[in-house]
Every structure is written in structure tokens, then in C-alpha cells.
Amino acid sequence: MADSLDIVRSVADLRSRVQYWRDQGLRVAFVPTMGALHDGHLSLVRAGLELADRVVASVFVNPTQFGPNEDFSRYPRQEERDAALLDGAGCHLLFAPTVAEMYPAGFATKVSVTGVSEGLCGGARPGHFDGVATVVTKLLLQAQAHLALFGEKDWQQLTVIRRLVRDLDIPVDVVGVPTVREADGLALSSRNAYLSDGDRKIAPALHRALQAVAAGLREGKSASELCHRAAADLLAAGFLSVDYVEARAAADLTPLDRLDRPARILAAARLGGARLIDNIAADPA
Ligand code: AMP
């Protein structure tokens, strides 16, 4: 186990550690994750270290954001490796609660964000964003950090979290961090571990499809035609199915057909045993 990174498992211990730092006038950043850490997660820790004096990460594979036929039971769990990576990145504290600590007997509350949770991954994974919104609300209230960092890789999730923090007056600054990619464009993801060698070669087609839509939008073409073509290209490249390829307004995820405001092109598709998601920006000239 790592030397200087401390691990706490209870909300009470997390709170007292953060309160101790706050009492000293230190700024605290929080990085929630589901573990199986990669350089994308560590870039959130590094961004936290730039903006704050202490960084707390959490590792919790949240059962309520997985559907009944999804990958909760096979999701990679590797706490010792995660702790070593966090320690190496300079993270100060790891909060790794049990399911019983997060959802004690009798737990009955759900946070549900309308609007931005609907469609895209919300359409493909019913109940997913209720699970995300509930656990992130709990984690933010538990950690009581000054700021919390989330990846742009999960743009809809970031938008849902910005909305709930505003709506519930949670006193934390939400910071979005750009997506970390492999050299061939594939966004780093814990779920890339599900890809076979053959599928790994096909996977960068997802990022290329998003780039083609963004380029077409900048040429003035219609998003619906471009996204339709991109979905067909993914199937031709070897993806098993496409949940969606869509262009939305970056700020509030409302539908958009022309590049008349800052946009985000978002996609989710299945390849082998993995469901991959990605998104990129497309801004008007
Ligand atoms: P996860 O463990 O997949 O729930 O992700 C935890 C946090 O890391 C979320 O805020 C993600 O958006 C972020 N994240 C995941 N992959 C990346 C990546 N490739 N680049 C930047 N952030 C990421």
C-alpha cells in the first residue's frame, strides 16, 4: 500500500480530515472516480493540485448508476494499484467507502435532474443519471471540498452535475477537465480494458467519426445528415451497434442542427464487450 496517501472509509473520517485542512485555511479539491484509474483520472488530480492545496479522490463503484444487465459485477476493481497511482500523482487522501457506508439500510432518497439528463446516455441507460446525480450529491456533501473536478469525457454527466450543484445550492465550484486521449485519438476509459486487441484497433474510429461531424458542421452542413453518416461509418468500421451520434448545444444539451452556437458532438457505441462514449467540441467560426 502507498506510504503517504491516507485512506479513509467512513464519511465521518473523510469529514474530519477535510475539516482539519479547512481550519488551517487550506483549499481542498475533490476528484470522484469509480477506480481502475488511468491517466485521465490522474489529470483531474493534477488539475486539482494546481487549483488547491490538498486533493481528495474517491473510488466507489456506484451500484445505482448501473442497469440490471450492465457491467457492475465485472467493472474492474483494483484498489491497491489505484492507491499507488494516486500517491504517485500527489493526491493526499483516498475515500474508498463500502456500499453499506454509502447506502445504509433504509436508504430511500433519489436526486433526479430533468432536462439535461434526458436523451443521449440518459435515453440509452434508463435511471443511469439518477444514480449518478444521487451519488455525486452525496459525495459532494460528504467531502465538503472547495472545488470538485470532473472530466469533459463524460460531457452529459458534467452538465448534469453543474445543474444539480446550481439547483441544490451545493457550495462547491465544479471544474471541467479536458479529455485525455491515446495517441490514436481513443479517449482513455476504464472500459477500454474490455476491448480485444482487434477491437482496440477499431476503437479510434469513434473519435474520427466525431471529428468528421465537427468538420462538416464547420462547413455549414446539417447535423442530422452528418450524424447519420457517422453512425453508418461506425457500423462499417466494426462497431456492433450505435446508441447515438448527436450534435447538441454545449451549454445545455438542447438539440442543434447548424453550428449557430458552441456545440458538442456526442456519441456512444458498442464494440466487442465495451460500450464506448466520447464527445468533442465544435465552435462557430
Ligand atoms: P469514472 O471513474 O469513469 O467514473 O470517471 C471518473 C472521472 O474521471 C469523471 O469525472 C470522468 O469524466 C473522468 N474521466 C474519465 N476518463 C477521462 C479521460 N479520458 N480524460 C479526462 N477525464 C476522464
Side-chain angles (χ1 to χ4, degrees), residues 24-43:
Q24 294 178 301
L26 298 173
R27 232 173 125 66
V28 182
F30 181 45
V31 176
T33 83
M34 295 207 301
L37 301 182
H38 50 65
D39 202 49
H41 298 112
L42 300 182
S43 77

Side-chain angles (χ1 to χ4, degrees), residues 158-205:
L158 176 59
T159 310
V160 168
I161 290 164
R162 287 193 194 284
R163 186 74 257 163
L164 76 85
V165 163
R166 234 175 293 155
D167 290 353
L168 300 178
D169 304 305
I170 299 177
V172 68
D173 288 336
V174 174
V175 177
V177 177
T179 302
V180 177
R181 299 180 180 281
E182 303 281 6
D184 60 11
L186 176 65
L188 268 55
S189 165
S190 306
R191 289 188 168 98
N192 292 351
Y194 300 152
L195 296 172
S196 68
D197 289 350
D199 289 336
R200 173 64 189 80
K201 294 197 176 77
I202 296 171

Side-chain angles (χ1 to χ4, degrees), residues 144-163:
Q144 302 191 329
H146 297 89
L147 56 134
L149 299 106
F150 297 89
E152 292 183 352
K153 155 82 165 39
D154 301 283
W155 187 268
Q156 188 177 15
Q157 170 175 283
L158 176 59
T159 310
V160 168
I161 290 164
R162 287 193 194 284
R163 186 74 257 163

Side-chain angles (χ1 to χ4, degrees), residues 43-274:
S43 77
L44 303 185
V45 172
R46 288 191 289 266
L49 288 167
E50 298 269 311
L51 298 169
D53 305 298
R54 294 289 182 271
V55 175
V56 181
S58 64
V59 169
F60 179 63
V61 185
N62 174 39
T64 69
Q65 70 188 70
F66 290 80
N69 299 315
E70 293 186 351
D71 57 343
F72 174 69
S73 55
R74 71 179 173 123
Y75 198 85
R77 289 160 173 88
Q78 41 197 44
E79 186 182 298
E80 281 203 25
R81 181 178 173 277
D82 289 345
L85 286 171
L86 289 169
D87 189 40
C91 183
H92 298 91
L93 184 67
L94 168 60
F95 176 49
T98 60
V99 172
E101 178 72 5
M102 292 297 280
Y103 300 109
F107 188 90
T109 300
K110 185 161 78 180
V111 178
S112 191
V113 180
T114 58
V116 291
S117 288
E118 291 154 22
L120 305 171
C121 283
R125 303 181 69 188
H128 169 66
F129 283 118
D130 288 354
V132 170
T134 304
V135 80
V136 170
T137 299
K138 282 174 64 71
L139 287 165
L140 294 177
L141 296 174
Q142 290 164 348
Q144 302 191 329
H146 297 89
L147 56 134
L149 299 106
F150 297 89
E152 292 183 352
K153 155 82 165 39
D154 301 283
W155 187 268
Q156 188 177 15
Q157 170 175 283
L158 176 59
T159 310
V160 168
I161 290 164
R162 287 193 194 284
R163 186 74 257 163
L164 76 85
V165 163
R166 234 175 293 155
D167 290 353
L168 300 178
D169 304 305
I170 299 177
V172 68
D173 288 336
V174 174
V175 177
V177 177
T179 302
V180 177
R181 299 180 180 281
E182 303 281 6
D184 60 11
L186 176 65
L188 268 55
S189 165
S190 306
R191 289 188 168 98
N192 292 351
Y194 300 152
L195 296 172
S196 68
D197 289 350
D199 289 336
R200 173 64 189 80
K201 294 197 176 77
I202 296 171
L206 184 60
H207 183 232
R208 284 200 300 276
L210 297 174
Q211 287 177 311
V213 174
L217 278 177
R218 283 191 288 265
E219 288 165 14
K221 294 180 182 156
S222 138
S224 50
E225 280 168 40
L226 291 163
C227 291
H228 196 76
R229 169 108 43 90
D233 288 348
L234 288 174
L235 295 174
F239 279 76
L240 297 177
S241 61
V242 177
D243 282 354
Y244 61 83
V245 181
E246 288 193 44
R248 298 284 186 104
D252 59 7
L253 296 179
T254 49
L256 160 157
D257 200 48
R258 301 281 168 183
L259 197 53
D260 50 12
R261 59 213 135 118
R264 214 76 201 179
I265 324 300
L266 309 101
R270 284 174 202 281
L271 177 60

